[in-house]
Amino acid sequence: MTTQPLTTTATATPAELTVLADHHDVVDAVLRYTTALDLADADLMTSALTEDATVDLTPATAKIGLEFPVLSPRETVVGALIGAVGPLDTSHSVTNARTEVTGDTAVLRCYAQAMHFLPGQGPDPARTTHALMMNRYTVQLVRDGATWRIRHLSIDSAWFEGDPAVLVSQA
């Protein structure tokens, strides 16, 4: 379990380097997931998730008056999220990543800020209708060979600004 700051000097031990690599690779799984949303890239999202993955947006969506089901398995997650978020003009930024790695499992807690505009409206400076979210991600991951994948992702809202209808409208 990673709980102490690590040295990053030339004298780092092999065990410390393994911890750093695991931290990087665990965070990369979430970056693949969020980048897939921004690029509407089903293959990239698939690479971030286990076959039995579950994504639970209900803690966040309930706070803004939306009903969205818990999604599982991977093919359902990918289809639903690429279909719903993929067409939007979005950008996700992941910060404050804290990892706890125990063998071949990990827990990641981080923030993901996401700006959403209706399709084609993001670059238009005259458009002000948007949905800006700061979410807390709690992510359970497993090592799959040399790749970390998300098994369970729970998303809760820290705050929200804008129009929730942007998230469910394809107009």
Side-chain angles (χ1 to χ4, degrees):
M1 180 181 299
T2 306
T3 57
Q4 298 296 320
L6 301 171
T7 61
T8 56
T9 65
T11 59
T13 67
E16 289 173 321
L17 293 175
T18 298
V19 168
L20 288 170
D22 281 342
H23 172 81
H24 172 273
D25 293 346
V26 164
V27 172
D28 182 67
V30 172
L31 295 177
R32 291 192 319 269
Y33 170 84
T34 57
T35 300
L37 291 169
D38 293 339
L39 300 177
D41 187 332
D43 291 337
L44 185 59
M45 183 172 286
T46 297
S47 79
L49 302 169
T50 62
E51 287 185 33
D52 62 346
T54 299
V55 175
D56 184 359
L57 297 122
T58 61
T61 55
K63 288 180 179 178
I64 59 173
L66 298 176
E67 290 185 27
F68 204 83
V70 175
L71 302 171
S72 188
R74 176 173 61 199
E75 66 185 44
T76 300
V77 173
V78 173
L81 294 180
I82 295 299
V85 181
L88 300 175
D89 291 344
T90 67
S91 61
H92 288 73
S93 299
V94 177
T95 64
N96 297 26
R98 299 288 299 156
T99 59
E100 298 172 21
V101 175
T102 306
D104 290 335
T105 64
V107 175
L108 168 67
R109 290 177 180 81
C110 62
Y111 284 102
Q113 183 172 349
M115 177 61 93
H116 306 80
F117 287 93
L118 292 173
Q121 294 183 1
D124 183 351
R127 301 305 295 180
T128 59
T129 302
H130 67 278
L132 175 60
M133 308 173 80
M134 176 58 86
N135 291 324
R136 293 180 182 102
Y137 282 21
T138 302
V139 191
Q140 297 172 11
L141 304 100
V142 295
R143 191 187 320 259
D144 180 9
T147 304
W148 284 94
R149 297 187 197 280
I150 298 167
R151 173 164 283 150
H152 188 272
L153 168 58
S154 178
I155 301 175
D156 194 2
S157 179
W159 53 261
F160 180 89
E161 171 189 292
D163 183 355
V166 169
L167 300 171
V168 294
S169 173
Q170 300 303 307

